[in-house]
Amino acid sequence: MNKKMQLYNRLHKLNTAQIITLGFAGVIILGGLLLWLPFCTAPGYHTSFTDAMFTATTSICVTGLVTVVTATHWTLAGKIIILVLIQIGGVGLISLGSIIFISLRKKISLRNRRVIQESYNMDRMGGMVRLVKKVLICVFGAEGIGAVCYAVRFIPQFGLAKGLGYSVFTAVSAFCNAGIDLLGEDSLAQYVADPIVNFTSVGLIIMSGLGFVVWWDIWDKIKRVIRGKLPVGRIFKNLRLHSKIVLMMTLILVVGGTVLIFLFDHGNPESIGTYSPGTKWMASLFQSVTTRTAGFFTVSQERFSNATYMLCLVLMLIGGSPMGTAGGIKTTTVAVLLLSLKSNLQGKRDVEVHHRRIRDSYIRSAIVVTGMVLTVLILMSMLLCAAMPEAPIEDVVYEITSAVATVGLSRGLTPCLNTAGKWIVILTMYLGRIGPLTLGTAVTVRVQKMPADSHLAEEDIMIG
């Protein structure tokens, strides 16, 4: 009994970072064990434990890299388990656990409310239950709209039952930025010239990548416009600073990425060079958006030029925005780093944007997040090169970047991974999903802190 109490006390003392870290690991293991069971594998196929764990990890981490073809390898039960894992990964473990408590009419404790607050990086604890409900309404509402749009194309093509199933699965996967589909090895390549599939996917990916806080901020300003309390032309000016940065960065990345991809590859017959001008622009837009953690593709990644390859690496690393379903180091992190660089070059003491000052703690966090992601990227790339010395270096870097940023795009290396390579990518996807900063907080040993008013002696060093 004492051992049980000791275990309970240890679990009760876990902080938010540790709960997220262990929670994701637990769900991955459970999902992997379920997918390993015979009833999840289609007749004529064999699922190794490694492939089961790889599929569970890529699903819960909403990455999209797959070692087996989802459409043919798994039974209906296996596909449902994958869909559930994707939804859990997209909604988040904290939100899922909270909504279960709400559904059972259980009271959420003060400690659990604090966990919700910290997991969403909110500055106050009030309205946590309402926050979780709003997140779920946004998720299921957007996925429902996406499923209806996909159904317009899939039901006539595949029939009612199959088309509806494909629509729901693709909508959930797109909004959660998973990039896993039931259409075969070529993802959405057969729809490269289809505006319905392209713009539905692009819309879901962008909306989920903005983050729910931005949604609510925009909706609040729209309501004020409807009530006559705010002129339409002043909506952007009245948005929170976070929303302004996210929207500006998203616009720059989407538009800039589309234009550059078009310029780099419009004459490349291996990628988009043979398409009509309209299809070229649509394919460029899709590639620009999907590289920011979605994982679907309408053009095989290995067909793009080297210039587009380098651009896609940058877009994958940046990813989406906080409090959404996207991965990467996040748009706000990059914005803070660029603004800090600008301020230092101008000789300014403070980092300023839109007549506001960015806190020093946010700048430090941006540096830590970026540094940790780059560290994981370099380390895992070296390990994968060692495990698969015959693999081209550009494919290895693309694979690891895609895994750490939870994108799911590959230049054809994923199905060729050996067992060691698969476990390296599994670990990379896990680290990329829970976030290097969260992992660091979870495993850091407590050290005795120096008094706040105590400072060590300074000494000069040379920089640059």
Side-chain angles (χ1 to χ4, degrees):
M1 186 69 181
N2 290 333
K3 291 183 178 179
K4 290 183 178 180
M5 287 299 297
Q6 290 176 357
L7 178 61
Y8 174 79
N9 290 332
R10 288 179 182 177
L11 293 175
H12 192 70
K13 291 179 180 179
L14 293 176
N15 59 37
T16 302
Q18 292 168 335
I19 291 173
I20 294 174
T21 302
L22 295 176
F24 265 97
V27 175
I28 287 171
I29 294 172
L30 177 60
L33 291 175
L34 288 174
L35 290 172
W36 196 30
L37 296 175
F39 69 85
C40 289
T41 304
Y45 292 91
H46 168 72
T47 302
S48 66
F49 178 71
T50 299
D51 284 332
M53 290 301 299
F54 194 103
T55 303
T57 305
T58 196
S59 300
I60 194 68
C61 295
V62 289
T63 304
L65 295 172
V66 290
T67 54
V68 297
V69 181
T70 307
T72 57
H73 186 91
W74 305 105
T75 61
L76 177 60
K79 293 172 183 175
I80 292 175
I81 291 173
I82 292 172
L83 181 64
V84 171
L85 291 175
I86 291 172
Q87 190 70 85
I88 293 174
V91 172
L93 294 175
I94 305 300
S95 292
L96 183 66
S98 302
I99 200 60
I100 291 174
F101 271 87
I102 295 170
S103 301
L104 296 176
R105 299 185 182 279
K106 299 287 186 179
K107 186 177 181 180
I108 299 179
S109 65
L110 180 63
R111 179 175 181 273
N112 289 334
R113 290 173 185 268
R114 185 175 292 111
V115 170
I116 298 172
Q117 176 197 9
E118 293 177 0
S119 66
Y120 283 123
N121 196 25
M122 303 301 288
D123 54 5
R124 53 193 176 91
M125 196 179 299
M128 289 294 107
V129 174
R130 187 170 64 253
L131 171 70
V132 172
K133 289 181 178 179
K134 287 170 65 177
V135 168
L136 293 173
I137 290 172
C138 289
V139 170
F140 296 133
E143 290 173 351
I145 295 172
V148 170
C149 294
Y150 281 126
V152 174
R153 177 63 62 236
F154 291 159
I155 289 179
Q157 182 179 357
F158 301 107
L160 179 60
K162 196 173 183 180
L164 188 59
Y166 281 13
S167 300
V168 172
F169 194 101
T170 308
V172 173
S173 185
F175 186 81
C176 293
N177 280 208
I180 302 174
D181 62 82
L182 302 178
L183 300 169
E185 299 180 5
D186 297 326
S187 189
L188 302 179
Q190 60 179 304
Y191 304 103
V192 64
D194 190 318
I196 294 178
V197 173
N198 273 264
F199 288 111
T200 299
S201 302
V202 166
L204 288 172
I205 295 166
I206 291 177
M207 291 300 294
S208 62
L210 289 177
F212 303 117
V213 172
V214 178
W215 287 28
W216 301 330
D217 192 16
I218 294 174
W219 177 240
D220 177 67
K221 302 306 179 288
I222 292 176
K223 288 192 295 184
R224 290 177 61 186
V225 169
I226 295 174
R227 294 168 184 167
K229 297 181 178 180
L230 181 69
V232 176
R234 294 180 62 86
I235 290 180
F236 183 81
K237 187 174 182 180
N238 281 266
L239 291 173
R240 295 173 55 186
L241 179 61
H242 172 85
S243 300
K244 292 178 181 178
I245 292 175
V246 167
L247 291 173
M248 288 300 297
M249 284 296 295
T250 301
L251 181 64
I252 292 170
L253 292 172
V254 171
V255 175
T258 301
V259 172
L260 288 177
I261 291 171
F262 179 86
L263 293 176
F264 292 154
D265 271 81
H266 74 281
N268 181 4
E270 295 295 322
S271 57
I272 64 175
T274 59
Y275 298 140
S276 66
T279 301
K280 287 181 182 180
W281 279 108
M282 192 159 57
S284 300
L285 171 64
F286 194 96
Q287 180 69 14
S288 174
V289 172
T290 196
T291 46
R292 295 180 51 239
T293 81
F296 292 124
F297 65 85
T298 56
V299 179
S300 296
Q301 300 304 291
E302 62 272 17
R303 296 183 178 180
F304 284 107
S305 64
N306 288 336
T308 295
Y309 164 81
M310 293 297 297
L311 173 63
C312 290
L313 288 179
V314 174
L315 292 174
M316 286 195 292
L317 273 176
I318 296 174
S321 303
M323 204 178 166
T325 59
I329 62 176
K330 301 297 189 292
T331 55
T332 48
T333 301
V334 175
V336 168
L337 291 177
L338 293 176
L339 290 169
S340 178
L341 176 63
K342 176 185 175 183
S343 294
N344 279 277
L345 290 176
Q346 292 177 338
K348 294 183 178 180
R349 183 172 182 178
D350 295 329
V351 178
E352 303 171 352
V353 59
H354 291 293
H355 308 292
R356 293 291 187 272
R357 183 178 69 87
I358 303 294
R359 293 179 186 173
D360 292 340
S361 59
Y362 293 149
I363 300 172
R364 289 195 296 270
S365 295
I367 294 172
V368 170
V369 168
T370 304
M372 288 294 290
V373 168
L374 293 178
T375 300
V376 171
L377 172 61
I378 294 171
L379 177 61
M380 292 304 174
S381 295
M382 288 191 295
L383 289 177
L384 189 56
C385 282
M388 299 189 65
E390 73 285 355
I393 182 64
E394 61 270 19
D395 292 352
V396 169
V397 174
Y398 204 85
E399 190 86 5
I400 293 300
T401 303
S402 179
V404 76
T406 66
V407 178
L409 293 172
S410 175
R411 287 167 59 93
L413 183 61
T414 311
C416 304
L417 293 172
N418 56 26
T419 302
K422 290 176 183 178
W423 283 103
I424 290 170
V425 175
I426 286 173
L427 179 59
T428 305
M429 291 189 292
Y430 176 70
L431 294 176
R433 180 54 179 161
I434 64 173
L437 187 60
T438 301
L439 181 68
T441 305
V443 301
T444 298
V445 180
R446 293 182 180 178
V447 295
Q448 185 176 4
K449 296 182 178 180
M450 297 181 64
D453 57 348
S454 177
H455 299 281
L456 294 176
E458 293 182 349
E459 186 171 344
D460 295 336
I461 62 173
M462 291 183 290
I463 300 294

